[in-house]
Amino acid sequence: MQQAAFLARPLRPGPRHQLGWAWAEASVTAGGRLRLSRCSASLSVGAAGGGHGDEHAPLFSRQQAWDPYKILGVDHDASEEEIRSARNFLLKQYAGHEETEEAIEGAYEKIIMKSYSHRKKSKINLKSKIKKQVEESPSWFKAMLVFFEVPSAEIISRRLALFAFIAGWSIVTSAETGPTFQLALSIVSCIYFLNEKMKNLSRASATGFGVFVGGWIMGSLLAPMVPASAVPHTWSIELLSSLVAYVFLFLGCTFLK
C-alpha cells in the first residue's frame, strides 16, 4: 500500500531568544494503522556553553579563584622572582583580555603586599624580642649597654671599609716591612672617630689606646694558636696580632659612645 499523507504543523514558540519548530508526519502502514513520528530542531541564541555565548566566556579559567597563588599558578613558597615571572608570562599570554589582566594584576599585588607585611611584622617582632631580652638581662649587663650605641649602616660600612683597607695594606706589605705605620694610622683613625662622638680629645685618646692595647693582647694570645698551614708563610705573629687589633679598633670607634 502507498503511504497516505504528510502533515506539518508549527509548534508554539519557545522561551525568549529561542526559535523552535517541528513536523508531525502521518503515514498509513500496511496493517491499516496510523503511525505518527515527530522531528524537531531548536536554536538558542546567547545560551551558556554554545553559540555566540563562547565569545563572552572567560579566556582564563583560574581568574575566579580566591587564592592569588592559584591564579598565578605558583606555590605558596615561591620566590618573588618566580611570582614576577609567572605574572609577566600570563599577562603576555592573555594580552588584550581586560578581565583576565585585572585578575592577574590583582593576584600579583595581593601576594606582594602579603610578603611585605610579613617581612615588616618579622622585623618588628625581632626588635621586640631584642628589647625584651635586654629588659630581662642582669643589671650589670644593662650598665654596660650605656657605653654602646648602634650607628647608621652608612657609618658602619664606611669605617669597615677603612679598616679593611688598612688590614689589606698590612697583608700586602707583610713580606717587606712590619705593620707599624698601618697600626699607627688605625689608632689615629679610631681616636678621630671617637672624638667626633665624645667631643673630648683626652677621653677619646685614652679610649682609643685602651681599645688598641686590648686588641693587641688578644691578638698575641690567639696568633700562636693559628696553625702554620692555615696562613701564608709570610704572615708573622706580629701581623696576626695587628689584624686582631684592627678588628678591636673598628668595633671600638664604631659602637662605643
Side-chain angles (χ1 to χ4, degrees):
M1 294 180 63
Q2 294 182 339
Q3 292 184 348
F6 293 90
L7 298 176
R9 62 183 179 85
L11 296 179
R12 184 178 56 185
R16 186 178 181 183
H17 302 307
Q18 292 186 349
L19 299 177
W21 59 89
W23 292 268
E25 179 183 349
S27 62
V28 179
T29 63
R33 296 162 56 184
L34 182 65
R35 184 179 64 187
L36 296 175
S37 61
R38 171 177 301 196
C39 77
S40 62
S42 64
L43 175 63
S44 298
V45 179
H52 297 284
D54 289 339
E55 296 178 5
H56 305 286
L59 295 175
F60 188 44
S61 59
R62 300 194 303 266
Q63 75 178 44
Q64 301 299 332
W66 63 271
D67 188 352
Y69 292 91
K70 186 175 181 181
I71 293 177
L72 296 184
V74 296
D75 297 329
H76 284 258
D77 57 350
S79 64
E80 289 190 9
E81 182 63 27
E82 292 174 334
I83 295 170
R84 191 179 300 108
S85 298
R87 168 233 187 193
N88 294 338
F89 172 78
L90 292 174
L91 287 177
K92 184 178 180 180
Q93 186 177 7
Y94 295 99
H97 195 273
E98 186 177 351
E99 293 182 2
T100 302
E101 290 177 344
E102 290 178 356
I104 295 170
E105 289 287 8
Y108 175 76
E109 291 177 1
K110 286 181 181 179
I111 295 175
I112 294 301
M113 290 301 297
K114 182 179 179 181
S115 177
Y116 172 76
S117 300
H118 178 72
R119 289 199 301 267
K120 187 175 181 181
K121 184 178 180 181
S122 301
K123 187 176 181 180
I124 294 174
N125 290 340
L126 180 61
K127 290 182 178 179
S128 301
K129 289 180 180 179
I130 295 175
K131 185 177 179 181
K132 184 178 180 180
Q133 290 292 334
V134 172
E135 291 175 350
E136 296 176 354
S137 61
S139 57
W140 62 267
F141 183 76
K142 293 180 180 179
M144 288 182 60
L145 292 178
V146 177
F147 300 99
F148 294 90
E149 66 177 1
V150 180
S152 64
E154 183 181 1
I155 293 177
I156 295 175
S157 60
R158 286 181 177 179
R159 296 180 184 178
L160 178 62
L162 173 62
F163 284 93
F165 170 75
I166 296 175
W169 186 8
S170 301
I171 293 171
V172 170
T173 59
S174 60
E176 302 174 0
T177 59
T180 305
F181 178 76
Q182 290 86 344
L183 279 171
L185 179 61
S186 64
I187 294 172
V188 171
S189 300
C190 181
I191 294 173
Y192 172 79
F193 292 134
L194 288 171
N195 186 53
E196 281 188 336
K197 294 186 290 186
M198 297 177 177
K199 306 300 181 183
N200 188 321
L201 184 58
S202 299
R203 183 185 171 193
S205 300
T207 304
F209 277 110
V211 171
F212 166 71
V213 171
W216 187 262
I217 294 173
M218 184 62 67
S220 300
L221 296 175
L222 295 177
M225 301 180 184
V226 179
S229 59
V231 295
H233 66 280
T234 57
W235 287 28
S236 62
I237 293 179
E238 183 183 14
L239 175 61
L240 293 174
S241 301
S242 300
L243 296 178
V244 176
Y246 296 148
V247 174
F248 273 69
L249 290 169
F250 160 71
L251 295 175
C253 69
T254 305
F255 298 102
L256 283 177
K257 286 186 178 180

